[in-house]
Amino acid sequence: DSFIMNGNSPLIGSGLWTQITGDSVNIVDDTLYNTVLYNLDTGVSRFVWTIENGNCSSSDTMEIQVDELPSAALASGDSGYCLY
């Protein structure tokens, strides 16, 4: 339920992570390029990393997909298969 983000570190200016889709998560520090997310739920969440310096800005979108864990296989005594 956690993930380390990895945007580029701004040499000049400042950065900000913004969640644009998905269930609400905890972002440890939304201004840190390699921050940690907690409480990711199943499904797709999208985040934008934006670096601003005065009137200039650049951004990139990251998509994280969390799938459900597979269920345990259940076996019974008689599988109905013949062995030869």
Side-chain angles (χ1 to χ4, degrees), residues 12-61:
I12 301 173
S14 60
L16 181 68
W17 285 106
T18 306
Q19 184 175 2
I20 56 174
T21 64
D23 292 335
S24 181
V25 301
N26 295 339
I27 302 174
V28 172
D29 183 346
D30 60 0
T31 63
L32 187 61
Y33 75 97
N34 60 351
T35 193
V36 177
L37 304 177
Y38 287 105
N39 297 327
L40 285 165
D41 202 4
T42 55
V44 175
S45 298
R46 288 183 183 85
F47 300 86
V48 174
W49 174 240
T50 304
I51 297 174
E52 293 186 348
N53 179 23
N55 292 330
C56 300
S57 69
S58 66
S59 63
D60 194 19
T61 302

Side-chain angles (χ1 to χ4, degrees), residues 56-72:
C56 300
S57 69
S58 66
S59 63
D60 194 19
T61 302
M62 176 178 275
E63 182 176 284
I64 301 172
Q65 179 172 333
V66 178
D67 296 324
E68 291 185 26
L69 292 173
S71 60

